[in-house]
Structures are given as C-alpha cells and as structure tokens.
Amino acid sequence: MHARRIQVKGRGAALRAAWQASPADIVAYMDVDLSTDLDALFPLLAAVASGHSEIAIGTRLAHGSRTRRSLRREIVSRGYNALLRYGFGARFSDAQCGFKAVRADVARPLLARVEDDSWFFDTELLLLAEHNGLRVHEVPVDWIEDADSRVQVVRTAIDDLKGLARVARTMARGGAGVEVARREPAPAHPDPVLSPRVVTSAAITSFAAIGTVSAVLYALLYLPLRGLWPPVPANLGALVLTCLCTLVANRRWAPGLRAAMRLRAPALVLATYVLTTLAVLTVPPWAGLAAEVSAIVTTYCLLTLLRFAALDRLVLARTRN
C-alpha cells in the first residue's frame, strides 16, 4: 500500500493518475469518507474478476439498496440519473456513487477519451463505456451521507449538466468511439446451431427516431414546394430531399441498418414516391393543402412502419445468403 500526491485538483484527475500508474488487473475506488458499506466490495470486484462485466458500480437507487441522506441530495441524485436514462438511454441507475471497479485494460483507453477531471468523471466514463458496448454491473449498497462532506451539490450539478451537453455533442459528431477489448458471447455447446445476427435494439430505436423526424421534415418541405409546383413535382422534390437527409442520418446514427438497407434504397424511394403520389392525387382539389399534406404524410408514415417491421426479416435474409 502506498499514497500518491498530485498537483491537479479533482477526483477525476486523482483517479486518472492512480489508475494509469497501477499495475493491477482491476482498478477500483471508494469515497474517502467510507459512506459506502465495505460489505459490498467483494461483490463489486467479483463481477469484474469473473469476466462477467468490464465495469462494476455501486448503486444507491436500485432495489435492495439502503441509504440515509438528506432530501436535497435524494432529489438531485434521482433527477440527475433520470436525465441520464431518458436523455442518453443509460442503463445504469446511479452514476455518481463513489464505489466503482474497472478492468484495467478497459479503463486505460476510456481514460484517454474522458476529459473531465472533477466530479463528472464518473458519468463520462460510464456513458463512454455503454456507448462502446461495455457491460456495467450494478451492486446495491448500503450508503450513509456524511454531513461533513465537502461536495457542493448545486455547483456540482451545474458542472454535470455542462458535461452532459459536451458528451452529447461528442456523441452526435461520432467522436465517442473507443477501441476497447470486450468479451463477446460464445456458445458453450460443442456443436451449436446459431441463429443469425439481427438488427440491434439501439439501431432500431435510432431508425424509429429518424423516421419520425423525417416525416415532419417531409411535411415542412412539401408545403413551400407546393406553393411553387403542382402536387406531383412538389411531392418528388420533398421526397428526394427528405430521403437524402434520412440517408445521411442513418449512416451516422444507425449504422447497423446500413448493410440491410443500402441496396434497397432506390427501390424504396421509388415505391414511396409512387404510393405517396397516388395518395395526393386521390385528394379532391377542393379539400385544400392541409388534406394533401395529411394524405402524403400518412402514407409516408405507414410505409416507414412497414420498413421498420421488415428490418429483422431483411437482415436475416442477407445473413442466410
């Protein structure tokens, strides 16, 4: 056992320096005030040492956890972690609990990408880990707040929100990828019959979100074009522009769908154009522009739903071939 003093202030900076210099296979930390009961230490390390997970964290918010802390910290903690779940799709429940263990060979490449040196360090590390497909195991802990804590809750919360905005921008630009070694599932049976790989849930979620946004964009593009052209060319212009934007978005945020969809893209665009044109031509002239927009957007959304439902079948067919 030895102690190390660094000149840079902040929990993140201290952990970065200690973990990068450590020769251990597993690196861990706990808050110095020992707010977390040490009975949870062995389950924390066991999840990583067994190879089951790359990261293990203590949680004060999962079933089985027992905590004693002020109402203010309880509200701030639950609100912050709800923001992570609904804003980033995080699957862990407590980002800021000071009780974590990480496989060292995974920690080092993640540390090279983590920018924060203060309290947001934990959250950024976990978001990057899940973004890159690493498994985060949670251990319910007993936790008692130290009334003499030096943590400034409000200031820390503001800094965390700034950090979340920065990480969101990085992810949106495609800059959150990290080359990490993670365990891939392998069959234990000596002669398995494996099912083909299908589209991931994350890719399907991205596709659904992009489809919703594209339907709104389609309507917004059709409206000004309809003021310049008749329904048929206006529909063509709006659809081509929408499809170009959708293609760029799918390439960036839903890469798992690219192989299944790219060869069928021209046929899908043509079919969508034909069907939406037929839909708009069935609207009587006296019905007005609102009826035209409703007809083409409804048809477009139905076709998007059909493509969404057919994704697994498309990928399965390609895999079998």
Side-chain angles (χ1 to χ4, degrees):
M1 179 182 296
H2 67 277
R4 181 179 179 185
R5 182 181 180 88
I6 63 173
Q7 300 302 318
V8 182
K9 184 180 179 180
R11 179 170 75 178
L15 290 176
R16 187 193 312 276
W19 285 359
Q20 287 179 334
S22 174
D25 294 329
I26 299 174
V27 292
Y29 87 95
M30 64 190 70
D31 285 339
V32 69
D33 60 7
L34 297 180
S35 295
T36 307
D37 193 314
L38 294 184
D39 287 345
L41 181 59
F42 181 76
L44 186 83
L45 297 176
V48 180
S50 67
H52 174 271
S53 303
E54 289 82 17
I55 301 176
I57 66 173
T59 175
R60 300 160 293 186
L61 301 178
H63 179 72
S65 301
R66 296 181 297 183
T67 64
R68 183 184 301 172
R69 58 178 169 177
S70 65
L71 179 61
R72 182 181 68 165
R73 289 196 67 164
E74 184 75 16
I75 293 174
V76 171
S77 177
R78 290 188 178 276
Y80 179 69
N81 285 285
L83 179 61
L84 293 178
R85 286 196 302 275
Y86 298 113
F88 287 82
R91 292 182 290 275
F92 49 85
S93 64
D94 191 357
Q96 292 287 47
C97 181
F99 200 69
K100 293 180 173 67
V102 189
R103 218 175 66 202
D105 63 328
V106 166
R108 293 187 183 97
L110 288 175
L111 291 175
R113 190 58 57 90
V114 174
E115 298 181 21
D116 191 81
D117 283 335
S118 191
W119 297 103
F120 185 68
F121 174 90
D122 301 60
T123 301
E124 188 170 2
L125 182 77
L126 292 175
L127 289 176
L128 287 175
E130 280 202 344
H131 181 77
N132 288 278
L134 299 179
R135 179 179 287 175
V136 178
H137 178 77
E138 292 194 317
V139 177
V141 298
D142 296 342
W143 193 89
I144 299 176
E145 179 181 359
D146 183 358
D148 191 37
S149 174
R150 300 297 191 271
V151 179
Q152 300 179 21
V153 177
V154 176
R155 179 178 177 181
T156 300
I158 294 174
D159 290 341
D160 286 348
L161 292 176
K162 293 179 181 178
L164 289 176
R166 173 175 54 77
V167 172
R169 289 195 301 270
T170 301
M171 289 182 174
R173 295 168 181 168
V178 179
E179 290 293 331
V180 290
R182 56 180 177 267
R183 182 180 179 184
E184 298 293 341
H189 192 279
D191 189 21
V193 179
L194 301 179
S195 61
R197 188 181 298 271
V198 297
V199 177
T200 64
S201 58
I204 292 177
T205 301
S206 299
F207 179 77
I210 293 169
T212 302
V213 174
S214 68
V216 175
L217 178 63
Y218 182 34
L220 295 177
L221 289 172
Y222 182 81
L223 286 171
L225 291 178
R226 183 64 180 88
L228 299 174
W229 300 329
V232 175
N235 183 38
L236 178 61
L239 184 62
V240 169
L241 292 174
T242 302
C243 289
L244 288 175
C245 294
T246 304
L247 179 62
V248 172
N250 276 324
R251 284 181 178 273
R252 186 165 187 174
W253 287 296
L257 306 177
R258 182 167 37 183
M261 302 294 291
R262 62 187 175 189
L263 296 179
R264 294 172 172 79
L268 289 172
V269 173
L270 179 60
T272 302
Y273 174 65
V274 171
L275 293 175
T276 52
T277 299
L278 291 175
V280 75
L281 290 178
T282 59
V283 178
W286 51 264
L289 184 59
E292 289 184 18
V293 174
S294 298
I296 61 171
V297 171
T298 300
T299 305
Y300 181 87
C301 289
L302 289 174
L303 293 173
T304 301
L305 287 175
L306 290 175
R307 292 200 303 272
F308 175 80
L311 280 177
D312 281 350
R313 185 173 299 176
L314 290 173
V315 176
L316 286 173
R318 287 178 61 84
T319 306
R320 287 168 182 161
N321 292 334

